């Protein structure tokens, strides 16, 4: 589902996406209010959501959609700024990814497939911006994140490797474990931290001081 207040932008995305045999655009919305109203009817797997829109911005719409347990859609935020000050808020709202509007078509398509498969996606420049922003903030106290204290030693190893950007396969090789085992550990980490996806878990790890920029 495409959510952007500019009709020409939506038309451009639709043209790119519908050229792919495995992608179907099931709906379009011009603002966050329309997106929230439409998502239940359209039942998209992935929502491409602009950040800045009238009536209701993308972050508020993302938060409402992601908080609805009946909605399975995953949200990828779109922006024209790689240093957008809304990155952190969008990820906390439940977004599964962040991509620049001027990204190459193939990167957008690959990103949709990654999100649809249940993984998280951040453009490299956005990842660095997020880490830099967290680094400027005072480190939170672990007790503010009770789930952190519930992590086992193995789960702590896993989340620290997640913070380095490693995939399940790469973590498995690093820890000499099976990929299925790592997938189980990641699932438990997300559950204990109340995180919707890997990115939210990594943000919690940084904010709690469990991981610090440059320490990995």
């Amino acid at each position: 589902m495409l959510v952007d207040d500019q009709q020409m932008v939506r038309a451009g995305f639709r043209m790119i996406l519908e050229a792919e045999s495995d992608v179907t655009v099931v709906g379009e919305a011009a603002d966050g209010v329309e997106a929230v109203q439409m998502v239940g009817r359209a039942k998209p797997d992935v929502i491409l959501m602009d950040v800045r829109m009238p009536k209701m911005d993308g972050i508020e719409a993302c938060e409402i959609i992601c908080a609805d347990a009946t909605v399975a859609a995953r949200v990828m935020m779109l922006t024209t700024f790689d240093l957008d000050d809304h990155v952190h808020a969008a990820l906390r709202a439940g977004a599964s990814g962040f991509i620049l509007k001027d990204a190459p078509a193939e990167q957008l398509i690959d990103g949709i497939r990654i999100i649809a498969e249940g993984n998280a996606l951040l453009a490299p420049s956005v990842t660095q911006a997020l880490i830099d922003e967290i680094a400027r903030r005072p480190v939170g106290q672990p007790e503010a994140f009770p789930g952190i204290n519930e992590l086992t030693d193995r789960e702590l190893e896993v989340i620290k490797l997640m913070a380095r950007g490693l995939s399940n396969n790469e973590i498995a090789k690093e820890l000499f474990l099976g990929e299925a085992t790592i997938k189980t550990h990641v699932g438990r980490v997300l559950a204990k931290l109340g995180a919707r996806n890997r990115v939210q878990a990594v943000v919690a790890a940084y904010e709690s001081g469990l991981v610090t920029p440059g320490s990995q």
Side-chain angles (χ1 to χ4, degrees):
M1 189 169 85
L2 305 175
V3 186
D4 194 292
D5 60 325
Q6 297 182 50
Q7 193 276 332
M8 289 298 293
V9 171
R10 299 198 306 273
F13 282 138
R14 178 182 281 274
M15 182 177 65
I16 292 170
L17 297 176
E18 291 195 332
E20 302 298 312
S21 60
D22 60 339
V23 180
T24 302
V25 177
V26 297
E28 295 184 23
D31 56 60
V33 174
E34 285 187 14
V36 171
Q37 295 172 342
M38 181 181 295
V39 69
R41 301 192 305 272
K43 300 187 185 306
D45 296 308
V46 176
I47 301 172
L48 296 184
M49 180 89 74
D50 190 21
V51 172
R52 296 179 173 89
M53 294 182 293
K55 296 184 181 179
M56 180 188 292
D57 65 30
I59 295 172
E60 185 177 353
C62 174
E63 187 169 14
I64 293 172
I65 290 170
C66 291
D68 188 341
T70 67
V71 176
R74 300 172 68 83
V75 179
M76 180 156 70
M77 305 299 298
L78 292 160
T79 185
T80 53
F81 306 98
D82 60 351
L83 296 179
D84 197 301
D85 58 1
H86 293 96
V87 171
H88 190 256
L91 295 176
R92 288 183 63 88
S96 295
F98 224 98
I99 195 165
L100 305 184
K101 278 187 177 181
D102 59 0
E106 58 271 19
Q107 191 177 106
L108 174 66
I109 294 164
D110 288 344
I112 289 172
R113 292 182 178 130
I114 288 170
I115 296 294
E117 289 170 359
N119 297 309
L121 173 75
L122 287 179
S125 55
V126 173
T127 302
Q128 189 58 53
L130 176 63
I131 292 173
D132 290 345
E133 179 185 344
I134 292 173
R136 290 193 296 269
R137 296 179 174 212
V139 175
Q141 297 302 313
E143 54 265 27
F145 302 85
I148 292 286
N149 297 324
E150 297 178 12
L151 298 178
T152 65
D153 290 343
R154 179 63 80 188
E155 289 163 357
L156 287 170
E157 288 182 306
V158 169
I159 193 172
K160 288 177 181 179
L161 292 172
M162 288 166 59
R164 286 170 46 189
L166 273 62
S167 66
N168 286 355
N169 181 262
E170 291 168 333
I171 294 173
K173 292 177 180 178
E174 184 85 10
L175 299 179
F176 302 101
L177 295 171
E179 189 170 355
T181 300
I182 297 302
K183 186 175 181 180
T184 298
H185 284 311
V186 170
R188 289 173 179 164
V189 167
L190 299 186
K192 289 180 179 180
L193 297 182
R196 184 178 174 90
N197 53 53
R198 297 167 74 99
V199 177
Q200 282 192 330
V202 170
V203 168
Y206 276 109
E207 290 189 331
S208 67
L210 177 65
V211 176
T212 56
S215 67
Q216 309 97 292

